Amino acid sequence: MNEQTTIDRTQREYSAAAKKALGRSPQLYINGEWVDSSGGETIDVEDPSSGKVVSKIVEASDKDVDRAVAAARTAFDDGRWRNMPPVARQKIMNRLADLIEEHADELAELEAIDVGKPKGMAGAIDVPGAAAHIRFCAGWAGKINGETISPYTMPGDMMFAYTLKEPVGVCAQIVPWNFPLLMACLKIAPALAAGCTTILKPAEQTSLTALRLADLIAEAGIPAGVVNIITGYGHTAGDRMVKHPDVDKVAFTGSTEIGKLINRNVTDTLKHITLELGGKSPVVVMPDVNVAETAPGVSQAIFFNSGQVCVAGSRLYAHKSVFDEVVEGMANTADFWAPRASLDPDAHMGPLVSKEQHERVMGYIDAGKRDGASVLMGGDGPGGDGYYVNPTILTDVNPQMSVVREEIFGPVVVAQRFEDLDEVVKDANDTQYGLAAGVWTKDASAAHRIASKLQAGTVWVNCHAMIDTAIPFGGYKESGVGREQGREGIEAYLETKSVIMKL
Ligand code: NAI
Ligand code: MG
């Protein structure tokens, strides 16, 4: 019997620590204090595993945003953070990473309750990843330097020139709901290392861990006003942050649609901007693979985090000689990925984040069916409460279908056959997106050849979604602007000043 039919999806009891976090009164973290909103509006917090409302957060007003920006502006301008010796900033940042690790279990549980991701996944990936971003960037705090430069057209004995690397200023950082704590830390860490101050807005669906992070930011000793955390909607609070004249840089992760809107909205004030946007990442499986290893790997590439991953391997291209075996191997993972409540210790995949996302993903699956795609696996939800969708494989698709062209952001992969390399590279690149891609092969030279031809910011070989804070990450084409992580991620928070002196 299929195991899926016997799963009890009732959400488990929350821990005392989680109940306490859910029970706090809705407030904002501005200028080092917990403050009430000027408006009094709130947003419901839902547990997508049950569909129940479990808490409330502030819906920040324009006044709240202005107050947070003013706090960040003052904290930047008076130099309380950027002029602190790097050794002290590094120490405080490492203390924050320590505190995240000390509260790992609670943070993983809150993430599971808020996003619907399995607590085990949040504990293995999101929380340690968040701490790692902070530690890596803490190390940079003391390694940001300009250089002395010998002029080319001016006499060297008369002129002395050097560059200074300075923090870009006040940052507005807006993150989505798929990896809330991880993305929050990915955003604040390089800003802090560079000496910037920031206003961070988590997604309205998933603000719980960002609010707990604010407690830890205070406890770590980050001075008041350096990091401000406000909750609220994108089109109101987010929009005000983006357009605010006292903000110097916008860093956004989210949909391509909103990324384009934000890019237009920063134009009037010509802010610095980095955008990490959507994807429709191809995964190419060559004829020489060991299917027993590859099938679970390419399944994880799409089903991890219920497919709500910007780099999800959502377009599979398997060589015709292995196609049937690969998709059969993927279908054999159905029980492993069967969605369960996020606090079920056996869960590998949870529900989708929200009713809206559930409707969106089911809408795509239905459109795929109407367009003539065959459902090899899933294609439905288990029913009952919560926003569950079964892991889904669609075959018999063509490049015109919306399921092949658009980012679904759910556990849905479209599987296609290919015959020769040039053809598959062309198909893989036939997309507005260019965030990531995967290649599975034992042939090292084929791997390098394909990697060089794929239009993507990251190419994985024999793995997927391996993201490391030291390695630059970002998109080609409509998947983004700029890079985060690694040295380039720090550079994105710096201005270069050239000083030229006549001797
Ligand atoms: P979204 O892009 O609207 O939201 C992401 C963040 O941007 C949230 O914090 C939101 O409050 C904020 N935001 C929204 N409108 C804004 C505005 N006008 N100005 C400033 N900030 C704004 O994404 P949404 O609506 O939650 O999801 C829709 C689709 O976007 C998903 O189905 C998925 O396809 C895609 N998406 C992609 C992500 C990625 O990492 N590539 C992450 C989240 C969503
Ligand atoms: Mg939206």
Side-chain angles (χ1 to χ4, degrees), residues 162-246:
Y162 61 94
T163 54
L164 291 172
K165 292 287 181 181
E166 298 181 350
V168 79
V170 174
C171 305
Q173 303 184 308
I174 299 172
V175 293
W177 41 257
N178 50 349
F179 294 90
L181 178 72
L182 187 62
M183 298 258 184
C185 292
L186 187 156
K187 288 280 185 281
I188 66 167
L192 290 174
C196 294
T197 63
T198 178
I199 307 102
L200 174 87
K201 192 192 84 60
E204 54 271 29
Q205 300 87 348
T206 58
S207 296
L208 296 177
T209 48
L211 293 169
R212 276 301 274 140
L213 181 66
D215 292 329
L216 306 181
I217 282 168
E219 196 177 334
I222 293 179
V226 173
V227 181
N228 305 275
I229 295 185
I230 61 171
T231 57
Y233 290 116
H235 64 283
T236 53
D239 186 62
R240 185 125 184 135
M241 288 164 65
V242 164
K243 292 178 180 162
H244 205 293
D246 282 335

Side-chain angles (χ1 to χ4, degrees), residues 248-270:
D248 302 300
K249 171 179 167 112
V250 173
F252 171 79
T253 299
S255 63
T256 291
E257 181 197 353
I258 297 298
K260 288 180 181 178
L261 176 67
I262 289 176
N263 203 31
R264 287 195 291 275
N265 287 343
V266 299
T267 302
D268 282 345
T269 42
L270 277 186

Side-chain angles (χ1 to χ4, degrees), residues 358-379:
H358 186 265
E359 280 169 6
R360 193 184 153 93
V361 171
M362 290 311 299
Y364 271 114
I365 293 173
D366 291 343
K369 289 179 190 166
R370 273 199 312 277
D371 291 345
S374 306
V375 178
L376 187 91
M377 174 174 108

Side-chain angles (χ1 to χ4, degrees), residues 266-278:
V266 299
T267 302
D268 282 345
T269 42
L270 277 186
K271 294 174 171 56
H272 289 238
I273 186 163
T274 42
L275 300 170
E276 297 292 347
L277 309 176

